[in-house]
Amino acid sequence: MLTMHCISIPTPYPVGPVNAYLVKGEPLTLVDCGPDTPEGREALTAGLKEHGTGPEEIKRVVITHAHPDHSGLAQWIWQASGAEVYVHPYEYKKITGEQDFIKERLPFIVKMGIPMRVLIEMAGEKDILPRSTLSEVSIKPLTGGEKLNFQGGAIEMLHFPGHATGHICVYDQESGNLISGDFLLPHITPNPLLEADPEDPSRRYPSLSRYLEGLDFLEGMHIKRALPGHGEIIENPGEVINAAREHHHKRFGVVLDILEKGGKMSTYQISSAMYPDLQGFEIFLGLSEVQAHLDVLLERGSIKLEFSNGVVHYMKVN
Ligand SMILES: [Zn+2]
Ligand SMILES: [Zn+2]
């Protein structure tokens, strides 16, 4: 049976360390790799050494999604070993340096009724981590459904969007282990980040709808254990799936209550009511969270919208 070893790697993000997983088997495979910082390189090297190996022996790297805490060291490993690097095509732009994070989302953000000074504050804050780059690596595409074979086992790639459009989870049917990246986390739900739909960039991607569908699908899989991108191993995936669903159910209620009291409100107004103290990039995270819930409520017919003077306002349907 394939064994999966967790290597914890520090990140400067509030979420704390990120988990990389070494899948011990031939060819030696790493799922996620940590941020490209001196501390990240050191922790990954030390973790691999504990398992009798090093970056130069890694033959395959699977990236769950392009966020720099998960993907940063992929090019460094490739430089050390020539490893094959697997990523979902929806994540390519984020990882090859072609995409401007705020610019791509600006057409959606301006309709949220955000004051200019807040927009400037939000867009002006730089990520603490350098953007991952795989500019030199020829990336192998993963769209979900592929199997990566080992001597004596195989892992299956599953597409679970919601937190990122090209998020991949890695499943070992034999052991029932699922490397869940940021899709399933022990104590928090991932932000359903605002992104353009990769198939039609003029539209917002329905992040939360896809996420909730993913939770249902995951529940049907009867996974034994989830190995998350942050935090400890999840021994009770069913409970964590239910808690994530419950969390979003409550959030829908909070958004509806705010609209009940406020009447007609923009995404920014709802976000300011829900999260009054956000600063810098956190403002974007708050807007993402609120917009994702509004999109689902709209789909369900619980709210309606009105578009005037370039801003979308939402109202409760009674
Ligand atoms: Zn992430
Ligand atoms: Zn993460």
Side-chain angles (χ1 to χ4, degrees):
M1 200 191 292
L2 292 170
T3 50
M4 295 176 171
H5 301 283
C6 177
I7 300 172
S8 173
I9 302 169
T11 84
Y13 290 155
V15 70
V18 68
N19 297 328
Y21 292 95
L22 178 68
V23 185
K24 256 200 162 170
E26 260 314 308
L28 199 59
T29 301
L30 191 67
V31 180
D32 280 347
C33 48
D36 192 6
T37 58
E39 298 79 17
R41 291 182 186 197
E42 203 177 299
L44 179 63
T45 307
L48 291 172
K49 200 173 170 195
E50 249 176 63
H51 297 290
T53 185
E56 66 290 346
E57 290 185 59
I58 302 293
K59 297 289 187 301
R60 294 187 294 212
V61 179
V62 175
I63 301 294
T64 59
H65 63 301
H67 294 160
D69 47 340
H70 295 261
S71 62
L73 284 171
Q75 184 153 291
W76 181 70
I77 296 168
W78 171 81
Q79 279 162 349
S81 69
E84 292 178 331
V85 179
Y86 292 82
V87 186
H88 193 293
Y90 289 173
E91 301 294 291
Y92 283 7
K93 272 206 286 185
K94 306 172 197 170
I95 227 166
T96 49
E98 290 165 44
Q99 191 198 45
D100 181 315
F101 190 91
I102 292 291
K103 211 167 151 190
E104 197 211 56
R105 292 157 172 84
L106 208 53
F108 310 120
I109 294 170
V110 291
K111 291 185 190 140
M112 294 179 173
I114 181 167
M116 190 51 81
R117 73 175 162 79
V118 181
L119 180 61
I120 291 168
E121 182 190 338
M122 183 180 96
E125 192 181 74
K126 275 234 157 83
D127 199 331
I128 330 166
L129 283 176
R131 179 80 80 80
S132 306
T133 174
L134 287 177
S135 52
E136 293 170 39
V137 182
S138 97
I139 304 170
K140 300 242 174 211
L142 282 179
T143 53
E146 300 88 351
K147 275 198 171 146
L148 298 187
N149 291 312
F150 291 82
Q151 279 173 21
I155 51 177
E156 197 179 335
M157 305 296 121
L158 302 171
H159 182 211
F160 276 105
H163 169 64
T165 48
H167 191 294
I168 289 285
C169 293
V170 173
Y171 183 51
D172 176 17
Q173 198 174 13
E174 204 188 349
S175 64
N177 286 335
L178 178 90
I179 299 176
S180 59
D182 279 355
F183 188 83
L184 198 68
L185 295 164
H187 305 293
I188 49 170
T189 55
N191 191 300
L193 285 167
L194 174 76
E195 280 190 58
D197 189 330
E199 301 297 331
D200 175 4
S202 69
R203 284 192 324 199
R204 272 197 309 272
Y205 189 75
S207 310
L208 187 54
S209 283
R210 293 292 107 83
Y211 181 72
L212 295 171
E213 284 164 18
L215 288 180
D216 291 347
F217 186 83
L218 205 57
E219 192 170 44
M221 281 176 57
H222 300 295
I223 52 169
K224 214 174 189 176
R225 198 175 294 108
L227 315 179
H230 306 274
E232 71 277 7
I233 287 173
I234 300 172
E235 301 285 355
N236 52 346
E239 282 171 38
V240 175
I241 291 168
N242 275 333
R245 246 192 234 122
E246 185 56 26
H247 164 87
H248 287 295
H249 180 71
K250 280 194 187 138
R251 282 274 156 91
F252 290 128
V254 173
V255 171
L256 288 173
D257 283 349
I258 290 172
L259 284 173
E260 176 92 57
K261 290 188 196 103
K264 205 198 280 185
M265 296 173 86
S266 68
T267 305
Y268 176 71
Q269 286 169 324
I270 302 166
S271 178
S272 304
M274 261 171 101
Y275 313 108
D277 301 320
L278 301 183
Q279 287 178 346
F281 187 71
E282 292 169 349
I283 300 165
F284 172 76
L285 298 177
L287 290 171
S288 270
E289 187 79 27
V290 170
Q291 190 61 61
H293 286 82
L294 288 169
D295 287 349
V296 173
L297 287 170
L298 202 60
E299 247 176 58
R300 292 180 180 173
S302 311
I303 59 171
K304 56 185 178 176
L305 63 78
E306 214 177 81
F307 184 55
S308 59
N309 299 325
V311 178
V312 178
H313 286 90
Y314 297 89
M315 283 145 284
K316 214 177 150 212
V317 171
N318 289 309

